[in-house]
Structure formats: structure tokens, C-alpha cells
Amino acid sequence: MSFFVSLKEPHPYDLEQKINAINNRLTQFAEAIMQLQSNINNQPRRGKSYNSNSYYQGQPVKFQPITEESLASRLGVTPETIRKERESQPAPLFFAWSKRKDTSGIGWEFNEKTGLYHPIT
């Protein structure tokens, strides 16, 4: 058993694989958080005791921007469908289309600068 640490630099392909794995995991976390947010937002409101709970802040949960793959999963379509719909119609029509497809009724808008889809409630 060797206790020496290799000082050679990692191969770029190895780094790329690790970065891709991290990005995939972050996407999974973002989707899980959005699902939790959706579940929280769709719960029926309880009586006065619910609102007086010290943990309840009374602020709506904010959805975060997501990738094309995450939006496709959320809307139940392929990433190619998302891209086709976004490129074939004006932004307001894409927003309306995505809002109809989203189970939480959230419309989505593409941001060219970030390459992400932003929720508009």
C-alpha cells in the first residue's frame, strides 16, 4: 500500500467528467428543490395556527432559473421541443405555451445572457 500522493496533474478529460458529474448533480438538486417548492405552494392553507407558526414567513417561495434539460423534464417534453417552441414563436407565445405545460402554472422565459430559463409567476 502506497502512502505517497501523486503530484502529476489530472488529465483534462478526467476533470471534464468530474465537472459534468457535478453539473448533473446540481441539476438534480435544483429539480428536487423546485419540486419541494411546488409541493409547498400547492398545499392548502390551514387555519390561524398555521399563519402564527414562527417558521412561516408569509413570503412566497421563489423559483430559480433552470437549464433547458431541467425545463424539458418539468414540462414533460424533450429539450429539442423546448428549443423548437422557443425559436419558432415570439417570447410571449413561448411564455404562454410553457405556462400551459407547467403543472404549477408557471410561465418560463429564456435569458440569452445566462442560457437559462427564468420563471415568471
Side-chain angles (χ1 to χ4, degrees):
M1 178 182 277
S2 173
F3 292 100
F4 295 100
V5 176
S6 173
L7 297 178
K8 74 175 193 172
E9 294 201 20
H11 191 273
Y13 178 75
D14 294 336
L15 290 175
E16 185 177 347
Q17 280 188 319
K18 288 178 181 179
I19 290 170
N20 286 338
I22 291 169
N23 282 336
N24 289 339
R25 194 68 175 147
L26 287 173
T27 298
Q28 290 174 343
F29 283 134
E31 290 172 353
I33 289 169
M34 286 187 353
Q35 184 62 45
L36 288 170
Q37 290 171 332
S38 176
N39 290 344
I40 289 169
N41 287 340
N42 290 330
Q43 286 183 350
R45 298 282 185 220
R46 297 184 205 152
K48 185 177 179 181
S49 63
Y50 178 79
N51 290 331
S52 63
N53 184 336
S54 62
Y55 294 107
Y56 180 72
Q57 298 297 316
Q59 298 172 354
V61 176
K62 294 183 181 179
F63 288 87
Q64 298 298 314
I66 59 175
T67 64
E68 192 167 77
E69 291 77 13
S70 295
L71 181 59
S73 174
R74 182 178 175 89
L75 302 184
V77 298
T78 65
E80 292 78 17
T81 300
I82 297 288
R83 203 170 312 114
K84 183 187 98 175
E85 290 293 330
R86 178 175 52 86
E87 293 173 352
S88 68
Q89 56 192 343
L93 292 179
F94 175 79
F95 170 82
W97 174 82
S98 66
K99 187 172 184 170
R100 283 191 310 273
K101 300 291 274 180
D102 191 292
T103 57
S104 297
I106 295 171
W108 296 84
E109 183 177 83
F110 182 71
N111 183 311
E112 295 275 348
K113 291 181 183 178
T114 63
L116 296 173
Y117 292 82
H118 294 256
I120 309 295
T121 53

